[in-house]
Short mmCIF file of all heavy atoms in Angstrom, two decimals:
data_model
loop_
_atom_site.label_atom_id
_atom_site.label_comp_id
_atom_site.label_asym_id
_atom_site.label_seq_id
_atom_site.Cartn_x
_atom_site.Cartn_y
_atom_site.Cartn_z
N MET A 63 57.80 133.82 45.77
CA MET A 63 57.80 133.79 44.31
C MET A 63 58.88 132.84 43.82
O MET A 63 60.01 132.87 44.31
CB MET A 63 58.05 135.20 43.75
CG MET A 63 58.22 135.24 42.24
SD MET A 63 58.80 136.86 41.68
CE MET A 63 57.30 137.80 41.75
N ILE A 64 58.48 131.99 42.87
CA ILE A 64 59.42 131.06 42.26
C ILE A 64 59.49 131.38 40.76
O ILE A 64 58.45 131.52 40.11
CB ILE A 64 58.95 129.59 42.42
CG1 ILE A 64 58.77 129.24 43.90
CG2 ILE A 64 59.93 128.63 41.73
CD1 ILE A 64 60.05 129.14 44.68
N ALA A 65 60.69 131.51 40.24
CA ALA A 65 60.89 131.75 38.81
C ALA A 65 61.42 130.47 38.16
O ALA A 65 62.31 129.82 38.71
CB ALA A 65 61.86 132.90 38.58
N VAL A 66 60.85 130.14 37.01
CA VAL A 66 61.26 128.93 36.30
C VAL A 66 61.49 129.27 34.83
O VAL A 66 60.66 129.94 34.21
CB VAL A 66 60.18 127.83 36.41
CG1 VAL A 66 60.60 126.58 35.63
CG2 VAL A 66 59.91 127.48 37.86
N VAL A 67 62.61 128.82 34.29
CA VAL A 67 62.86 128.96 32.86
C VAL A 67 62.57 127.61 32.20
O VAL A 67 63.13 126.58 32.59
CB VAL A 67 64.32 129.37 32.58
CG1 VAL A 67 64.60 129.35 31.07
CG2 VAL A 67 64.62 130.74 33.17
N ASN A 68 61.69 127.64 31.22
CA ASN A 68 61.45 126.44 30.41
C ASN A 68 62.56 126.36 29.37
O ASN A 68 62.55 127.06 28.36
CB ASN A 68 60.08 126.51 29.73
CG ASN A 68 59.80 125.27 28.90
OD1 ASN A 68 60.69 124.49 28.59
ND2 ASN A 68 58.55 125.08 28.54
N GLN A 69 63.54 125.51 29.64
CA GLN A 69 64.72 125.47 28.77
C GLN A 69 64.42 124.84 27.42
O GLN A 69 65.23 124.97 26.50
CB GLN A 69 65.87 124.76 29.49
CG GLN A 69 66.34 125.55 30.72
CD GLN A 69 67.67 125.09 31.24
OE1 GLN A 69 67.96 123.91 31.23
NE2 GLN A 69 68.48 126.04 31.69
N ASP A 70 63.30 124.18 27.28
CA ASP A 70 62.93 123.66 25.95
C ASP A 70 62.58 124.80 25.01
O ASP A 70 62.62 124.63 23.78
CB ASP A 70 61.74 122.70 26.07
CG ASP A 70 62.12 121.41 26.77
OD1 ASP A 70 63.32 121.06 26.76
OD2 ASP A 70 61.22 120.77 27.34
N GLU A 71 62.21 125.94 25.58
CA GLU A 71 61.78 127.07 24.75
C GLU A 71 62.75 128.23 24.76
O GLU A 71 62.67 129.12 23.91
CB GLU A 71 60.40 127.54 25.22
CG GLU A 71 59.32 126.47 25.01
CD GLU A 71 57.95 126.95 25.45
OE1 GLU A 71 57.78 128.15 25.71
OE2 GLU A 71 57.05 126.10 25.54
N CYS A 72 63.68 128.27 25.71
CA CYS A 72 64.66 129.36 25.77
C CYS A 72 65.49 129.36 24.49
O CYS A 72 65.97 128.32 24.04
CB CYS A 72 65.57 129.17 26.98
SG CYS A 72 66.95 130.34 27.08
N ILE A 73 65.64 130.57 23.92
CA ILE A 73 66.45 130.70 22.70
C ILE A 73 67.82 131.32 23.00
O ILE A 73 68.56 131.68 22.09
CB ILE A 73 65.71 131.54 21.64
CG1 ILE A 73 65.35 132.93 22.18
CG2 ILE A 73 64.44 130.80 21.17
CD1 ILE A 73 64.76 133.87 21.14
N GLY A 74 68.13 131.46 24.28
CA GLY A 74 69.46 131.93 24.68
C GLY A 74 69.73 133.38 24.33
O GLY A 74 70.86 133.75 24.04
N CYS A 75 68.70 134.21 24.41
CA CYS A 75 68.87 135.61 23.99
C CYS A 75 69.63 136.44 25.01
O CYS A 75 70.03 137.56 24.72
CB CYS A 75 67.51 136.23 23.71
SG CYS A 75 66.62 136.66 25.20
N GLU A 76 69.79 135.94 26.22
CA GLU A 76 70.55 136.59 27.29
C GLU A 76 69.88 137.86 27.82
O GLU A 76 70.53 138.68 28.47
CB GLU A 76 72.00 136.88 26.85
CG GLU A 76 72.73 135.63 26.42
CD GLU A 76 74.21 135.85 26.15
OE1 GLU A 76 74.75 136.90 26.55
OE2 GLU A 76 74.83 134.95 25.55
N SER A 77 68.62 138.01 27.56
CA SER A 77 67.90 139.19 28.06
C SER A 77 67.64 139.10 29.56
O SER A 77 67.82 140.07 30.29
CB SER A 77 66.58 139.34 27.30
OG SER A 77 65.74 140.25 27.95
N CYS A 78 67.21 137.94 30.03
CA CYS A 78 66.78 137.86 31.44
C CYS A 78 67.90 138.17 32.43
O CYS A 78 67.65 138.88 33.41
CB CYS A 78 66.08 136.54 31.74
SG CYS A 78 66.94 135.04 31.25
N PRO A 79 69.14 137.71 32.22
CA PRO A 79 70.17 138.12 33.18
C PRO A 79 70.49 139.60 33.12
O PRO A 79 71.01 140.16 34.09
CB PRO A 79 71.40 137.27 32.80
CG PRO A 79 71.05 136.52 31.60
CD PRO A 79 69.62 136.71 31.27
N GLU A 80 70.16 140.26 32.00
CA GLU A 80 70.36 141.71 31.96
C GLU A 80 69.32 142.41 32.82
O GLU A 80 69.63 143.40 33.49
CB GLU A 80 70.29 142.21 30.51
CG GLU A 80 71.51 141.79 29.71
CD GLU A 80 71.49 142.30 28.27
OE1 GLU A 80 70.68 143.20 27.97
OE2 GLU A 80 72.27 141.79 27.46
N PHE A 81 68.09 141.90 32.81
CA PHE A 81 67.06 142.47 33.67
C PHE A 81 67.36 142.20 35.13
O PHE A 81 67.21 143.08 35.98
CB PHE A 81 65.69 141.88 33.34
CG PHE A 81 64.97 142.54 32.20
CD1 PHE A 81 64.93 141.92 30.95
CD2 PHE A 81 64.34 143.75 32.37
CE1 PHE A 81 64.26 142.52 29.90
CE2 PHE A 81 63.67 144.37 31.32
CZ PHE A 81 63.63 143.74 30.08
N CYS A 82 67.76 140.98 35.43
CA CYS A 82 67.92 140.60 36.84
C CYS A 82 69.00 139.53 37.00
O CYS A 82 68.70 138.33 37.08
CB CYS A 82 66.59 140.10 37.40
SG CYS A 82 66.63 139.92 39.19
N PRO A 83 70.26 139.97 37.04
CA PRO A 83 71.36 139.00 37.17
C PRO A 83 71.37 138.29 38.51
O PRO A 83 72.04 137.27 38.65
CB PRO A 83 72.61 139.87 36.98
CG PRO A 83 72.18 141.26 37.32
CD PRO A 83 70.74 141.35 36.91
N GLU A 84 70.64 138.84 39.48
CA GLU A 84 70.60 138.18 40.79
C GLU A 84 69.76 136.90 40.77
O GLU A 84 69.87 136.07 41.67
CB GLU A 84 70.02 139.14 41.84
CG GLU A 84 70.89 140.36 42.11
CD GLU A 84 70.64 141.51 41.14
OE1 GLU A 84 69.83 141.34 40.20
OE2 GLU A 84 71.25 142.57 41.31
N VAL A 85 68.91 136.77 39.74
CA VAL A 85 68.00 135.62 39.69
C VAL A 85 68.29 134.73 38.48
O VAL A 85 68.15 133.51 38.56
CB VAL A 85 66.53 136.10 39.67
CG1 VAL A 85 65.56 134.95 39.43
CG2 VAL A 85 66.20 136.81 40.98
N PHE A 86 68.71 135.34 37.37
CA PHE A 86 68.92 134.57 36.13
C PHE A 86 70.38 134.60 35.73
O PHE A 86 71.07 135.62 35.87
CB PHE A 86 68.07 135.15 34.98
CG PHE A 86 66.60 135.17 35.27
CD1 PHE A 86 65.99 136.32 35.70
CD2 PHE A 86 65.84 134.02 35.10
CE1 PHE A 86 64.61 136.34 35.98
CE2 PHE A 86 64.48 134.03 35.38
CZ PHE A 86 63.86 135.19 35.82
N LYS A 87 70.83 133.48 35.21
CA LYS A 87 72.17 133.44 34.63
C LYS A 87 72.13 132.50 33.43
O LYS A 87 71.21 131.68 33.28
CB LYS A 87 73.20 132.98 35.65
CG LYS A 87 73.02 131.54 36.11
CD LYS A 87 74.10 131.16 37.13
CE LYS A 87 73.88 129.74 37.64
NZ LYS A 87 74.86 129.38 38.69
N MET A 88 73.14 132.65 32.60
CA MET A 88 73.25 131.77 31.44
C MET A 88 74.07 130.56 31.83
O MET A 88 75.14 130.68 32.43
CB MET A 88 73.90 132.49 30.25
CG MET A 88 73.18 133.77 29.82
SD MET A 88 71.40 133.55 29.51
CE MET A 88 71.43 132.43 28.10
N GLY A 89 73.58 129.38 31.50
CA GLY A 89 74.30 128.16 31.80
C GLY A 89 75.34 127.86 30.73
O GLY A 89 75.38 128.51 29.68
N ALA A 90 76.16 126.87 30.98
CA ALA A 90 77.21 126.48 30.05
C ALA A 90 76.63 126.02 28.72
O ALA A 90 77.30 126.09 27.68
CB ALA A 90 78.07 125.38 30.67
N ASP A 91 75.38 125.59 28.75
CA ASP A 91 74.72 125.13 27.52
C ASP A 91 74.11 126.28 26.72
O ASP A 91 73.47 126.06 25.70
CB ASP A 91 73.65 124.08 27.85
CG ASP A 91 72.62 124.60 28.85
OD1 ASP A 91 72.69 125.79 29.24
OD2 ASP A 91 71.74 123.81 29.24
N GLY A 92 74.30 127.53 27.22
CA GLY A 92 73.77 128.68 26.49
C GLY A 92 72.31 128.97 26.77
O GLY A 92 71.72 129.84 26.14
N LEU A 93 71.73 128.26 27.73
CA LEU A 93 70.34 128.47 28.10
C LEU A 93 70.28 129.09 29.48
O LEU A 93 71.15 128.84 30.33
CB LEU A 93 69.57 127.15 28.08
CG LEU A 93 69.59 126.39 26.74
CD1 LEU A 93 68.88 125.05 26.90
CD2 LEU A 93 68.94 127.22 25.64
N ALA A 94 69.23 129.88 29.68
CA ALA A 94 69.10 130.57 30.98
C ALA A 94 68.62 129.61 32.05
O ALA A 94 67.92 128.63 31.78
CB ALA A 94 68.13 131.73 30.84
N VAL A 95 69.00 129.95 33.27
CA VAL A 95 68.50 129.20 34.43
C VAL A 95 68.17 130.21 35.53
O VAL A 95 68.85 131.22 35.69
CB VAL A 95 69.53 128.15 34.90
CG1 VAL A 95 70.84 128.81 35.29
CG2 VAL A 95 68.99 127.32 36.03
N ALA A 96 67.08 129.96 36.23
CA ALA A 96 66.73 130.76 37.40
C ALA A 96 67.39 130.09 38.60
O ALA A 96 67.02 128.97 38.97
CB ALA A 96 65.22 130.84 37.57
N TYR A 97 68.37 130.75 39.18
CA TYR A 97 69.22 130.09 40.17
C TYR A 97 69.01 130.62 41.58
O TYR A 97 69.71 130.19 42.51
CB TYR A 97 70.69 130.20 39.76
CG TYR A 97 71.28 131.59 39.86
CD1 TYR A 97 72.10 131.95 40.92
CD2 TYR A 97 71.00 132.56 38.91
CE1 TYR A 97 72.64 133.22 41.03
CE2 TYR A 97 71.52 133.84 39.00
CZ TYR A 97 72.34 134.17 40.06
OH TYR A 97 72.86 135.44 40.17
N THR A 98 68.08 131.55 41.75
CA THR A 98 67.84 132.11 43.08
C THR A 98 66.36 131.96 43.42
O THR A 98 65.54 132.81 43.08
CB THR A 98 68.25 133.60 43.15
OG1 THR A 98 69.57 133.75 42.65
CG2 THR A 98 68.21 134.11 44.58
N ASN A 99 66.00 130.85 43.99
CA ASN A 99 64.62 130.59 44.39
C ASN A 99 64.56 130.15 45.84
O ASN A 99 65.39 129.37 46.28
CB ASN A 99 64.02 129.49 43.49
CG ASN A 99 63.54 130.05 42.17
OD1 ASN A 99 62.77 130.99 42.14
ND2 ASN A 99 63.97 129.45 41.08
N PRO A 100 63.55 130.64 46.54
CA PRO A 100 62.57 131.63 46.10
C PRO A 100 63.23 132.98 45.81
O PRO A 100 64.29 133.29 46.35
CB PRO A 100 61.58 131.73 47.27
CG PRO A 100 62.29 131.15 48.44
CD PRO A 100 63.32 130.20 47.93
N VAL A 101 62.60 133.74 44.93
CA VAL A 101 63.14 135.05 44.55
C VAL A 101 63.03 136.00 45.74
O VAL A 101 61.94 136.17 46.29
CB VAL A 101 62.34 135.61 43.35
CG1 VAL A 101 62.80 137.02 43.02
CG2 VAL A 101 62.50 134.69 42.14
N PRO A 102 64.15 136.60 46.16
CA PRO A 102 64.08 137.57 47.26
C PRO A 102 63.14 138.73 46.89
O PRO A 102 63.08 139.13 45.72
CB PRO A 102 65.53 138.06 47.40
CG PRO A 102 66.36 136.96 46.80
CD PRO A 102 65.53 136.40 45.69
N SER A 103 62.44 139.24 47.88
CA SER A 103 61.40 140.24 47.60
C SER A 103 61.95 141.45 46.86
O SER A 103 61.26 142.03 46.01
CB SER A 103 60.71 140.67 48.89
OG SER A 103 61.68 141.15 49.82
N GLU A 104 63.19 141.83 47.14
CA GLU A 104 63.72 143.02 46.48
C GLU A 104 63.98 142.81 44.98
O GLU A 104 64.18 143.78 44.25
CB GLU A 104 65.00 143.52 47.18
CG GLU A 104 66.16 142.55 47.14
CD GLU A 104 66.25 141.68 48.39
OE1 GLU A 104 65.19 141.21 48.88
OE2 GLU A 104 67.38 141.45 48.86
N PHE A 105 63.96 141.57 44.54
CA PHE A 105 64.20 141.29 43.13
C PHE A 105 62.94 140.84 42.40
O PHE A 105 63.00 140.50 41.21
CB PHE A 105 65.29 140.23 42.96
CG PHE A 105 66.61 140.62 43.56
CD1 PHE A 105 67.30 139.74 44.38
CD2 PHE A 105 67.17 141.87 43.32
CE1 PHE A 105 68.52 140.09 44.96
CE2 PHE A 105 68.38 142.24 43.89
CZ PHE A 105 69.06 141.35 44.70
N GLU A 106 61.81 140.87 43.09
CA GLU A 106 60.57 140.38 42.46
C GLU A 106 60.18 141.23 41.25
O GLU A 106 59.77 140.70 40.22
CB GLU A 106 59.44 140.35 43.49
CG GLU A 106 59.58 139.20 44.47
CD GLU A 106 58.37 139.06 45.37
OE1 GLU A 106 57.47 139.92 45.31
OE2 GLU A 106 58.34 138.08 46.14
N GLU A 107 60.31 142.56 41.38
CA GLU A 107 59.90 143.43 40.29
C GLU A 107 60.76 143.19 39.05
O GLU A 107 60.27 143.07 37.93
CB GLU A 107 59.97 144.89 40.73
CG GLU A 107 59.08 145.81 39.94
CD GLU A 107 57.61 145.38 39.95
OE1 GLU A 107 57.08 144.96 41.01
OE2 GLU A 107 56.99 145.44 38.89
N ALA A 108 62.08 143.10 39.25
CA ALA A 108 62.98 142.86 38.13
C ALA A 108 62.76 141.48 37.52
O ALA A 108 62.89 141.29 36.31
CB ALA A 108 64.44 143.01 38.59
N THR A 109 62.38 140.53 38.35
CA THR A 109 62.10 139.18 37.85
C THR A 109 60.86 139.20 36.96
O THR A 109 60.82 138.58 35.89
CB THR A 109 61.90 138.21 39.02
OG1 THR A 109 63.12 138.14 39.75
CG2 THR A 109 61.54 136.81 38.53
N LYS A 110 59.84 139.95 37.38
CA LYS A 110 58.64 140.09 36.54
C LYS A 110 58.98 140.76 35.21
O LYS A 110 58.47 140.36 34.16
CB LYS A 110 57.58 140.91 37.27
CG LYS A 110 56.93 140.18 38.43
CD LYS A 110 55.90 141.10 39.10
CE LYS A 110 55.47 140.57 40.46
NZ LYS A 110 54.72 141.59 41.22
N GLU A 111 59.82 141.78 35.27
CA GLU A 111 60.21 142.47 34.03
C GLU A 111 60.97 141.52 33.12
O GLU A 111 60.80 141.55 31.90
CB GLU A 111 61.06 143.70 34.37
CG GLU A 111 60.24 144.81 35.01
CD GLU A 111 61.11 145.98 35.47
OE1 GLU A 111 62.32 145.98 35.20
OE2 GLU A 111 60.55 146.88 36.11
N ALA A 112 61.81 140.70 33.69
CA ALA A 112 62.55 139.72 32.88
C ALA A 112 61.59 138.76 32.20
O ALA A 112 61.75 138.44 31.01
CB ALA A 112 63.54 138.96 33.76
N ALA A 113 60.58 138.32 32.95
CA ALA A 113 59.61 137.39 32.37
C ALA A 113 58.83 138.06 31.24
O ALA A 113 58.61 137.48 30.17
CB ALA A 113 58.66 136.89 33.45
N GLU A 114 58.43 139.32 31.47
CA GLU A 114 57.67 140.03 30.44
C GLU A 114 58.53 140.34 29.23
O GLU A 114 58.04 140.42 28.11
CB GLU A 114 57.09 141.32 31.04
CG GLU A 114 55.97 141.05 32.03
CD GLU A 114 55.63 142.27 32.90
OE1 GLU A 114 56.18 143.36 32.65
OE2 GLU A 114 54.84 142.11 33.82
N GLY A 115 59.84 140.51 29.47
CA GLY A 115 60.73 140.87 28.38
C GLY A 115 61.30 139.69 27.62
O GLY A 115 61.98 139.87 26.61
N CYS A 116 61.02 138.49 28.08
CA CYS A 116 61.56 137.31 27.41
C CYS A 116 60.89 137.13 26.05
O CYS A 116 59.67 136.93 26.00
CB CYS A 116 61.35 136.07 28.27
SG CYS A 116 61.81 134.55 27.42
N PRO A 117 61.64 137.16 24.97
CA PRO A 117 61.03 137.05 23.64
C PRO A 117 60.42 135.69 23.36
O PRO A 117 59.56 135.56 22.51
CB PRO A 117 62.20 137.35 22.68
CG PRO A 117 63.42 137.02 23.45
CD PRO A 117 63.10 137.33 24.89
N ALA A 118 60.87 134.69 24.09
CA ALA A 118 60.33 133.33 23.89
C ALA A 118 59.20 133.02 24.88
O ALA A 118 58.61 131.94 24.81
CB ALA A 118 61.45 132.31 24.04
N HIS A 119 58.91 133.97 25.77
CA HIS A 119 57.84 133.79 26.77
C HIS A 119 58.00 132.46 27.51
O HIS A 119 57.04 131.73 27.72
CB HIS A 119 56.45 133.86 26.10
CG HIS A 119 56.24 135.11 25.31
ND1 HIS A 119 56.14 136.36 25.90
CD2 HIS A 119 56.16 135.33 23.98
CE1 HIS A 119 55.98 137.28 24.95
NE2 HIS A 119 56.00 136.69 23.79
N CYS A 120 59.23 132.18 27.90
CA CYS A 120 59.47 130.88 28.53
C CYS A 120 59.83 130.99 30.00
O CYS A 120 60.28 130.01 30.60
CB CYS A 120 60.53 130.12 27.75
SG CYS A 120 62.15 130.89 27.75
N ILE A 121 59.65 132.18 30.58
CA ILE A 121 59.86 132.33 32.02
C ILE A 121 58.50 132.36 32.70
O ILE A 121 57.66 133.19 32.37
CB ILE A 121 60.63 133.62 32.35
CG1 ILE A 121 62.00 133.63 31.67
CG2 ILE A 121 60.78 133.79 33.88
CD1 ILE A 121 62.75 134.94 31.80
N THR A 122 58.29 131.45 33.62
CA THR A 122 57.06 131.46 34.37
C THR A 122 57.36 131.81 35.83
O THR A 122 58.43 131.49 36.36
CB THR A 122 56.33 130.10 34.32
OG1 THR A 122 57.24 129.07 34.71
CG2 THR A 122 55.84 129.81 32.92
N ILE A 123 56.40 132.49 36.42
CA ILE A 123 56.51 132.92 37.81
C ILE A 123 55.36 132.29 38.58
O ILE A 123 54.21 132.38 38.16
CB ILE A 123 56.47 134.46 37.90
CG1 ILE A 123 57.74 135.03 37.27
CG2 ILE A 123 56.32 134.91 39.34
CD1 ILE A 123 57.75 136.52 37.16
N GLU A 124 55.71 131.65 39.65
CA GLU A 124 54.68 130.95 40.45
C GLU A 124 54.60 131.57 41.82
O GLU A 124 55.59 132.07 42.34
CB GLU A 124 55.05 129.47 40.57
CG GLU A 124 55.15 128.78 39.22
CD GLU A 124 55.86 127.42 39.31
OE1 GLU A 124 56.15 126.98 40.44
OE2 GLU A 124 56.11 126.83 38.26
FE1 F3S B 429 66.05 132.52 27.38
FE2 F3S B 429 64.09 134.20 27.62
FE3 F3S B 429 66.15 134.48 29.12
S1 F3S B 429 64.85 133.34 25.74
S2 F3S B 429 67.83 133.74 27.88
S3 F3S B 429 64.76 132.78 29.16
S4 F3S B 429 64.99 136.10 28.24
#
């Protein structure tokens, strides 16, 4: 599983690192980045929840 944040659409709400800090973090520019790819299997569920919980719907999972 690969997680990607579309930073053109991220509004910097900081929700995704709350769901899964092992995969998402906030960058210095205030936008989220998925920094753990491929996503380890134990974090796949939390990564999906982060994607579903993103208010900007800008996290894609491949
Ligand atoms: Fe941005 Fe969505 Fe995360 S708006 S900070 S990618 S929850």
Side-chain angles (χ1 to χ4, degrees):
M63 173 190 282
I64 302 290
V66 178
V67 174
N68 181 344
Q69 295 195 322
D70 291 336
E71 296 181 11
C72 174
I73 58 173
C75 77
E76 302 187 15
S77 166
C78 52
E80 289 181 14
F81 276 104
C82 191
E84 295 85 357
V85 173
F86 301 99
K87 65 180 177 183
M88 303 307 296
D91 56 4
L93 303 176
V95 60
Y97 70 102
T98 309
N99 278 307
V101 175
S103 56
E104 63 265 41
F105 301 132
E106 286 188 354
E107 203 56 41
T109 297
K110 289 179 194 168
E111 289 174 6
E114 289 165 7
C116 173
H119 306 291
C120 64
I121 300 173
T122 53
I123 292 173
E124 300 165 6

